[in-house]
Amino acid sequence: MSEAIVASQAPGTDPSVPGASGARQFWRRLRTQRAALVAAAFVALLVLIALTAPLLTAAEGQDPTTYHPALVDSARGGVPIGPFGGVSGSHWLGVEPQTGRDLFARLVHGARVSLGVAFAATLVQVLIGVVVGVAAALGNRWVDQVLSRVTDIIIAMPLMIMALALLAIVPSGFPRPVLVALVIGLVAWGSTAKIVRAHALTLKELDHVAAARLSGWGPWRVARRELLPALAAPVITYAALLVPLNITVEAALSFLGVGVRPPTPSWGQMLTAADVWYQAAPQYLLLPAGSLFLTVLALTVLGDGVRTALDPRAASRLRVGTGRKREARA
């Protein structure tokens, strides 16, 4: 993935995005991609649901942690009582087996945790990656070599194993969602640094950047005034593709029992206890799994649309709803 993004910028070109006119061109290109617009609408709705989760559960009259033992059949092992897993006017999506906790409340609050962890981890990855990548590109040969080798080591480390090790040794009192976001971000910034360094090395050879360096500007002034605005497009593109990846990593860590812990709901943590109920209460498995699948799919489609809109020379990899003919005419 990273190699494709680096290759999308031809050497000797200026990938900077102008202010107002650049934004108008971006939105015009993005509007030609129907799939990306549908994905953006879905992501916006999901974010709105996550932000208003307390209001939604208050409207239902439930919360994600209260047990309702009277709503499950203890004689049958805790299967929800009633049709469709206990769906009713008080429990819009039914209840959780064994505990009777409200599934709608846990699902929308789980969206807050899963999305929050993914966005926070992406922010940490981008910040570290940009700093390391720009420093490697602007530094001398020794600085570049040291930072590049450190980046290679970070990339070579198995993400899941390192995350499992770090999460296992941190005291349990530390807020778990914050910890998961920090661990993912601190372990997985290497690819971002590689991409930023490659773009920054290309930009450093451009006339206006070379003139700024020859005029006596310091490295960080050159980075702030000349490199960072031009790096916005590739960094935003790669960040959009990192968010769905981080959602799946958080879900995998929670599924393995080292991520978000009960009673805090997350989609991965819900899936941990749902695998034995797919026959007796299928909605307990299908709701978090379906939400996770649709969210990752929408974010991936949106990330591809953002990549294509920011770099019109790179054709979208998606065949459905990308509006290639209208984009070519624009």
Side-chain angles (χ1 to χ4, degrees):
M1 180 191 300
S2 60
E3 290 81 359
I5 296 177
V6 172
S8 67
Q9 294 289 350
T13 60
D14 183 1
S16 61
V17 179
S21 64
R24 285 195 295 268
Q25 291 177 9
F26 168 76
W27 288 116
R28 186 172 70 248
R29 292 169 188 149
L30 189 62
R31 284 199 301 268
T32 64
Q33 304 179 67
R34 292 189 298 271
L37 291 179
V38 173
F42 179 85
V43 172
L45 177 62
L46 187 65
V47 171
L48 180 63
I49 290 174
L51 292 175
T52 59
L55 298 178
L56 294 174
T57 53
E60 187 195 26
Q62 304 295 334
D63 65 77
T65 58
T66 301
Y67 284 46
H68 300 92
L71 299 179
V72 296
D73 188 353
S74 58
R76 297 173 56 201
V79 176
I81 299 173
F84 305 107
V87 173
S88 65
S90 300
H91 301 278
W92 297 346
L93 295 179
V95 297
E96 187 179 61
Q98 289 188 317
T99 65
R101 291 181 294 193
D102 185 77
L103 272 184
F104 175 78
R106 294 188 65 77
L107 194 68
V108 296
H109 279 270
R112 302 187 84 189
V113 174
S114 296
L115 290 177
V117 168
F119 282 117
T122 301
L123 180 61
V124 174
Q125 288 172 262
V126 168
L127 288 176
I128 298 177
V130 168
V131 171
V132 174
V134 171
L138 291 180
N140 58 35
R141 183 168 62 92
W142 292 106
V143 172
D144 187 19
Q145 287 293 321
V146 170
L147 292 179
S148 296
R149 297 297 78 78
V150 171
T151 303
D152 291 338
I153 293 172
I154 292 295
I155 293 176
M157 288 180 178
L159 170 61
M160 294 300 297
I161 295 177
M162 291 300 299
L164 286 170
L166 291 174
L167 289 169
I169 62 176
V170 176
S172 58
F174 197 91
R176 208 64 182 182
V178 177
L179 176 61
V180 173
L182 288 175
V183 167
I184 296 174
L186 292 174
V187 173
W189 54 264
S191 297
T192 307
K194 281 282 187 183
I195 291 171
V196 171
R197 175 183 176 274
H199 280 281
L201 287 174
T202 300
L203 293 170
K204 194 169 71 170
E205 303 302 322
L206 298 179
D207 292 341
H208 64 93
V209 179
R213 298 177 68 202
L214 291 174
S215 66
W217 285 14
W220 294 113
R221 187 179 181 188
V222 173
R224 187 179 70 254
R225 298 288 297 274
E226 302 293 342
L227 294 187
L228 291 181
L231 288 170
V235 169
I236 291 172
T237 299
Y238 192 58
L241 298 174
L242 281 176
V243 174
L245 175 62
N246 289 335
I247 287 180
T248 58
V249 172
E250 182 278 326
L253 291 173
S254 296
F255 181 79
L256 293 173
V258 295
V260 178
R261 294 176 176 173
T264 303
S266 81
W267 292 341
Q269 189 269 326
M270 292 175 68
L271 288 171
T272 303
D275 56 348
V276 298
W277 295 98
Y278 65 92
Q279 289 183 332
Q283 82 286 348
Y284 186 35
L285 174 65
L286 293 177
L287 285 173
S291 300
L292 184 63
F293 171 76
L294 291 176
T295 302
V296 171
L297 177 63
L299 286 167
T300 303
V301 173
L302 179 59
D304 185 84
V306 170
R307 179 184 65 86
T308 306
L310 287 172
D311 185 8
R313 294 167 300 179
S316 174
R317 292 167 294 191
L318 300 176
R319 294 290 181 183
V320 180
T322 54
R324 280 188 175 82
K325 294 182 179 180
R326 290 196 303 274
E327 184 178 345
R329 289 197 296 268

